[in-house]
Amino acid sequence: MIQSTAAKKLQGEVPNVYPSIPDDTSVALGSPHSFFRFMNNDSSRGVVIQVLVLALFLFGMWYLFSNAANNLDRLSMTFGFDFLQVTSGFNISWSIIPYDSSMTYWRVFLVGVLNTLVLSAFVIVIGTLLGTVVGILRLSQNPLISQIARGYVEVVRNVPLLIQVIFWFTVVFSTLPAPRKSYSLADVFFLNNRGFYIPTVDLSISWWWITLALGVCGASLWGVVKWAKRSQRQSGKRPVGVYAALLLWSAVVLSLIAFLSQWMSWNVPVLKGFNFREGAFLPASFGAAFVAMTVYRSAAIAETVRAGMQSIDRGQHEAAFTIGFSRFQSLRLILIPQAVRAIIPPMTNSWLAATKDSSLAVAIGFPELVSVFMQTSINQTGRALEIIAMVMGFYIVISFVISYLLNKYNDHVQYKVR
Amino acid sequence: MEKIHSDTERDDYKPLKKFVASPARPPKRETHGVIGTIRKRFFNSIGNSLLTCIALAVLFYLGKWIVNWAVIDAVFVADTRRQCFDTSPDGACWAGVISWFNGLIYGRFPVQEQWRVNLGVVIGIVWLLPLLSKRIPLRGAILLSWVALFPFVGAYLFLGGRFGQELGLFHGIMTCAAFGYLLLIYLNLIKALIGSKTIAVAGLHLLFVPFLEKRLSRRVVAISSMLVWGGLSAIAALFLSSFDLPLVPIERWGGLFLTFIIAGFSITMAIPVGVILALGRRSKLRVIHWLSLGVIEIVRSVPLITVLFMAVTLLPIFMPSDVEFNKLSQVLVAVCIFAGAYMAENIRGGLQAIPKGQFEAATTLGFGYWQTMFLIVLPQALRMMIPNIMTSFISLLKDTTLVSIIGLFDIMLMARNIANDKDWVGMHTEPLVLIAILFFVLCFSMSQYSLNLEKRIKVDR
């Protein structure tokens, strides 16, 4: 291609003294043997190589799967997903959807998936907030603060996550007092070596009403904020009415809560025998995994945030300072909105890593997907092939979803270039 | 657009007054000098002063607590955990860690055979020592020989067994060749130190010289040094076959030793696997592109622990029933693929940063695909990506702790096992703290070294 376009260019300016080079070099080489001529042609050689690689790949696959078929035959096992309808027969220590041992393996899979998702969602949200704060502290003018933040980041980043997870579990959460001597906050929240007990709300009417009320509150608040922003943009001043509106809004919310509370009853955990009854409960393994992973993730995110902030031109800091912005204002209005553009792509990777890292909770017995499905269920059913395919499929789907959503958001925040 | 232009050409446009700079004010006294700097940096506002005080208080109490726990109240000599508690209930019980120290380093390797591990490590380091000197040519060949031959030496020393029998004849021959090559390197070094000024070290390229070189004198040199290599290997064979090393099964490997084996193997294999996958992903041939893309994306989107579980449970299913596996080799295969997929993305980043002109220049010189890649593009891409590659190595080293979950006795599992020893029941904190410090020192120094390299590369460019 390059040669022929160059030749064309030449033809326009100088008399063509060179013989034109044909695209098919094999003709020029004039190899006597047709096989060599065939192999010297880029496209035909490419086809040969691809066919060979594909054949090799298919052969490898066939070899592996025929071995698998033989081995399964030998062990008189079958392949199929029918085991998902079988009763599992084992208990899971904690789940957010109702589960007991009489339910099926499909339910076990769902329990594992939801536990993994809950753990990683908590880690992602809190870890991102903490990481942003640490990343900003890392850039503090005060050397003491920035060095403490640096020390935190370096220590946390350079110790393997597994060590940290096990440390938090065995050293911190398992050495909390027994249920009878648990720490309590106002006799409503309890913390002991089994976990964290919190009160729950029982409703005598449908949950849809609460959802509806929340929706109304959220929508009205959103409307007020939007109106305040628009009039501030138009007039340059924040309208006084916004405070009145916010006051009105909170009055409405309070009266709504008061109105709904006649159907609500608090379900406070109480100590009965050796353990707490009523209320909801987060196991100690969840606490340890959550704290360790949040701390670990926050260190990674702090580095991302710091790099993003440092990528902003120094003039932006100075300009913000010049027009009289305080440090907080310049961070919120000038620096962070610009840093977000540089931060989003590495942040995506960090969140994906957080989801994958949640599998390490298997080491302390938190019932997430790998633990309940890949360990216990494989041991119980022996369906290694199907179960591993399902678990890997779940992780692949999750990472595609997260990266798709964040790519969309990334397109939205990047500079619009025409 | 139009408006802006008309603005500057207003009718009432008046030239600005001549600007007269007022004399510069002297700098504020309170921001200069030691006290001024401290005041400016630490106490310039109420919030900052508060922050400084809180940080100092936290640092003081944390430091005091750590020193008390780890040094002042700690017990270094005791026989059981009970004794530790009796001596000092609030301090660390380092006595337990000290009594298990050997286990943390060597795992369950028999004590009287541990010299073999030390010897193996020493040989590995001695082999690489010539790399430190910039005067030695063909250091790449020495590195390559280490990658290709040292594993045989390591396997021979660590596993043992009668020479050439338990591990097979091929392994025996390769071990001899490795020892012979090591001797050859050092013979050459000594010869060069005594005789000529330039140090010529035989590289693996000597294998190809006799076939490529047309000048007779060079061919003679190459063939003669190959003969010397053969002779040295024969001497090594005679020496090695004169005694037997007791067999140590892989199940007894453990501790830091095993961690280093897994990390070292995956680090050395990550680059070749990564290069192949990255080149495949950039290939114009559709089939190769999609296959590499699939491997990279699938492996990168699942956690390492699932890959390890897969290797342990699925490899026996997918292989013929007469193939026997040990857990270590399954784990090594899994870690290799995993590390390779991550490395491929690093290398791809480097490949994309190479300007198109380099490819075109190579084509102009008449280089084919492989010549372009291995002589022009990859050396530059790898060099450019050294910081990222180092980051990958650090995370690989950290990730090796995961093999403890599937039951390999690496340093992590050894540390957790101390709590099951009847003398030291329930001792979790001290071993965990110790290995955390160990990993911190290793990873932190690696990351500082990579920062250093990054700066040097920036200067070079």
Side-chain angles (χ1 to χ4, degrees), chain A residues 71 142 157 296 356 399, chain B residues 52 300-301 317 319 342 398:
Chain A
N71 286 330
N142 187 335
R157 267 203 327 170
Y296 190 77
K356 287 185 279 173
S399 44
Chain B
T52 307
R300 271 163 45 90
S301 61
I317 294 183
M319 281 290 147
Y342 277 83
K398 288 192 291 176

Side-chain angles (χ1 to χ4, degrees), chain A residues 93-94 168-169 172-185 188-199 269 271 274-291 364 366-367:
Chain A
S93 61
W94 186 74
W168 281 98
F169 185 65
V172 180
F173 278 85
S174 298
T175 51
L176 288 173
R180 281 173 171 281
K181 293 176 186 166
S182 38
Y183 299 120
S184 73
L185 183 68
V188 177
F189 298 95
F190 294 94
L191 183 66
N192 58 44
N193 60 7
R194 294 193 184 192
F196 186 51
Y197 292 80
I198 48 175
L271 186 66
F274 290 108
N275 207 352
F276 283 88
R277 299 284 152 82
E278 312 291 326
F281 146 78
L282 289 170
S285 55
F286 179 88
F290 165 69
V291 172
I364 53 172
F366 176 70

Side-chain angles (χ1 to χ4, degrees), chain B residues 203-216:
Chain B
L204 273 190
H205 72 294
L206 282 180
L207 284 178
F208 305 107
V209 168
F211 308 105
L212 296 175
E213 190 63 53
K214 290 202 178 80
R215 271 175 294 172
L216 193 65

Side-chain angles (χ1 to χ4, degrees), chain B residues 45-189:
Chain B
S45 68
I46 297 172
N48 203 7
S49 320
L50 210 64
L51 218 56
T52 307
C53 293
I54 292 173
L56 280 177
V58 167
L59 272 189
F60 175 73
Y61 282 104
L62 198 67
K64 194 176 145 192
W65 183 75
I66 287 177
V67 169
N68 272 341
W69 179 79
V71 183
I72 295 176
D73 290 340
V75 181
F76 291 89
V77 185
D79 290 333
T80 61
R81 191 152 185 250
R82 192 104 297 277
Q83 279 187 9
C84 275
F85 274 130
D86 293 343
T87 327
S88 152
D90 297 328
C93 179
W94 296 119
V97 177
I98 292 170
S99 80
W100 268 82
F101 194 72
N102 195 278
L104 285 176
I105 303 293
Y106 299 102
R108 295 174 300 163
F109 214 86
V111 179
Q112 67 276 14
E113 300 298 326
Q114 282 170 4
W115 61 269
R116 279 154 51 177
V117 175
N118 301 340
L119 182 67
V121 172
V122 168
I123 288 179
I125 293 171
V126 164
W127 197 315
L128 288 177
L129 272 184
L131 294 184
L132 289 177
S133 162
K134 290 242 155 76
R135 283 179 60 205
I136 296 174
L138 293 166
R139 276 169 295 157
I142 295 177
L143 188 62
L144 202 65
S145 71
W146 189 85
V147 171
L149 293 175
F150 180 69
F152 293 103
V153 177
Y156 170 69
L157 281 173
F158 303 152
L159 277 171
R162 226 166 328 138
F163 184 70
Q165 300 223 338
E166 267 86 354
L167 293 176
L169 194 61
F170 172 72
H171 182 269
I173 293 170
M174 292 308 280
T175 311
C176 294
F179 275 115
Y181 197 84
L182 182 62
L183 289 177
L184 187 64
I185 292 176
Y186 274 85
L187 272 187
N188 261 317
L189 266 180

